Amino acid sequence: MTNAPAPTSVPVPVSTPVPGSPQVSVFEPAALGPLRLPNRLVMAPLTRNRATAGGVPTPLMATYYAQRATAGLIIAEASTPNAVGQTYPNITAIHRPDHVAGWRMVTDAVRAAGGRMFLQLQHGGRVGHPDTSGLTPVAPSPVALPETLHTPTGKQQAPVPREMSLQDVEDHVADFASAARRAIEAGFEGVEVHSANGHLLHQFLSQNTNRRTDAYGGPVGNRVRFVAEVVRAVAEEIGPERVGLRVSPGNTVNSIEEGDTEEIYPALVAALADSRIAYLHIGYADPGQPVFQRIREEWPGTLIGNPVLPKDRIPEDGGLAASERLLAAGADLVALGRPFLANPDLVHRLRTGAPVNQVRDAYMMYVGGATGYTDYPVLAEPPAVG
């Protein structure tokens, strides 16, 4: 690892409203480490399966992200830090020089349009298949995903993963740090470590997927260890002000059962409270849930909330009301997924109250090509970026 420069700024103070004070607006600018964001709307990471079979970003992806550069911050889709971490076909990666070159094309396009980007680093763990990666998946414990997976040869039953040795754990921490360095070389302002949605880091947190009896399993202090080590290694490599962490407390996607949600996340927050990383990002954030409230109370830095929206439609207001509720509950920034997917000019539509596009066909989200990707209409006079 290289020695990171001293942080250039401290975490942004939380925006919990003081009684009688005006509500923070999603359209107000915000600071995020050294970055100055023109608004508080973040484009959430959205897997779209438009990379090459080798995980290299394409020119079509550069167009897609540049179209959405009015977001205060774009968090680019999940990219694997090593070959064994690949989840599905045509997922992006960031562990080879051609990955760096492909992502550089994307970040150049977004920067030319006035935008800012972080890259999400995701390892699938047991959510993977040899038909996709060419390798047997690895995980904290040899507990198979009880689901089928999309592979280049069709749907396949998920295999039993190989339990990670202590050397594997050490190697994976180093792989995340190296991937973060490559992301900076590719032109990203920072990276988001993905510890949500039932993937590898989330598997270490959860009781049903982590049955280890060593220092990485058992009590909550042990189960948060791998996540904390990855985050600290990445922060050491590129500077904490360039690092975010995403979690999804209570989320059962990919057959995850945490078992002790109310204990594991305060323990993780405590393990990283002094890390000075740029932000903590809560997926599927419900401001009425005690775990959200406790994380907000105990996390000393910037908090991004990703609101729960209807699965079958984008709200008529584009998610604005849900975003405002999260800000009122103490979130500093709000991440929206499908509203940005279907509305390249979402910020302008929300600001002016214009109607929003709906996702036309969910199937087209993952099949490749421009349809359902770069062909969503924008308003006649999109706003200037910045």
Side-chain angles (χ1 to χ4, degrees):
M1 295 183 185
T2 59
N3 290 326
T8 56
S9 62
V10 298
V12 182
V14 300
S15 57
T16 305
V18 175
S21 65
Q23 168 65 48
V24 176
S25 166
V26 296
F27 306 113
E28 291 183 22
L32 185 67
L35 294 178
R36 296 299 177 264
L37 311 184
N39 57 70
R40 295 169 185 257
L41 291 165
V42 176
M43 179 178 169
L46 296 160
T47 294
R48 303 304 307 278
N49 302 79
R50 258 69 176 189
T52 69
V56 179
T58 62
L60 186 65
M61 291 174 59
T63 299
Y64 168 77
Y65 281 113
Q67 288 175 339
R68 291 153 178 82
T70 52
L73 175 71
I74 295 173
I75 305 174
E77 63 204 82
S79 290
T80 57
N82 55 28
V84 75
Q86 185 177 2
T87 51
Y88 303 107
N90 303 105
I91 297 296
T92 59
I94 188 69
H95 55 85
R96 299 195 314 241
D98 54 341
H99 299 147
V100 173
W103 276 121
R104 169 61 74 172
M105 171 183 58
V106 175
T107 60
D108 283 349
V110 170
R111 189 166 288 109
R116 298 139 297 277
M117 294 185 81
F118 270 43
L119 178 65
Q120 187 183 74
L121 304 180
Q122 172 194 275
H123 189 299
R126 69 175 187 166
V127 185
H129 197 280
D131 285 3
T132 301
S133 67
L135 300 166
T136 299
V138 298
S141 300
V143 181
L145 177 75
E147 301 176 21
T148 59
L149 294 169
H150 291 282
T151 78
T153 54
K155 281 193 172 184
Q156 301 285 348
Q157 187 63 45
V160 176
R162 178 175 63 82
E163 179 172 300
M164 293 170 66
S165 67
L166 292 178
Q167 186 62 56
D168 289 327
V169 170
E170 181 179 337
D171 291 345
H172 275 69
V173 171
D175 286 346
F176 271 93
S178 296
R181 172 55 60 190
R182 290 190 179 94
I184 300 304
E185 293 171 0
F188 289 96
E189 277 79 17
V191 301
E192 176 178 277
V193 175
H194 191 35
S195 183
N197 296 7
H199 296 293
L200 179 65
L201 275 66
H202 200 180
Q203 292 161 26
F204 270 90
L205 297 179
S206 301
Q207 290 182 347
N208 75 319
T209 48
N210 184 347
R211 300 178 182 176
R212 302 175 73 99
T213 58
D214 60 10
Y216 294 91
V220 293
N222 286 357
R223 282 185 283 127
V224 304
R225 190 185 307 276
F226 179 61
V227 179
E229 288 181 355
V230 168
V231 171
R232 289 186 180 279
V234 169
E236 181 181 349
E237 187 73 20
I238 64 174
E241 73 280 2
R242 293 177 172 146
V243 181
L245 172 66
R246 190 180 197 200
V247 296
S248 56
N251 186 4
T252 59
V253 69
N254 287 315
S255 299
I256 279 289
E257 297 175 9
E258 293 168 345
D260 50 8
T261 299
E262 301 296 332
E263 289 77 41
I264 196 75
Y265 289 97
L268 181 60
V269 166
L272 292 171
D274 66 345
S275 66
R276 297 171 63 87
I277 62 172
Y279 65 80
L280 180 63
H281 181 182
I282 302 180
Y284 311 101
D286 182 349
Q289 290 296 317
V291 68
F292 175 90
Q293 297 166 5
R294 185 166 177 187
I295 289 173
R296 176 64 286 179
E297 290 170 1
E298 298 180 6
W299 179 249
T302 297
L303 187 70
I304 301 178
N306 170 219
V308 180
L309 299 179
K311 293 182 179 181
D312 60 341
R313 61 182 176 83
I314 298 171
E316 291 184 3
D317 69 352
L320 181 60
S323 299
E324 291 175 338
R325 284 194 295 272
L326 277 174
L327 290 180
D332 301 288
L333 306 171
V334 179
L336 296 173
R338 285 172 295 124
F340 269 112
L341 183 159
N343 297 273
D345 53 350
L346 179 67
V347 177
H348 182 58
R349 289 175 187 265
L350 298 188
R351 192 189 299 272
T352 60
V356 295
N357 302 321
Q358 294 292 325
V359 175
R360 289 196 300 268
D361 184 347
Y363 173 75
M364 301 306 296
M365 291 169 61
Y366 308 110
V367 298
T371 303
Y373 190 60
T374 56
D375 62 344
Y376 279 100
V378 299
L379 299 176
E381 297 182 3
V385 179

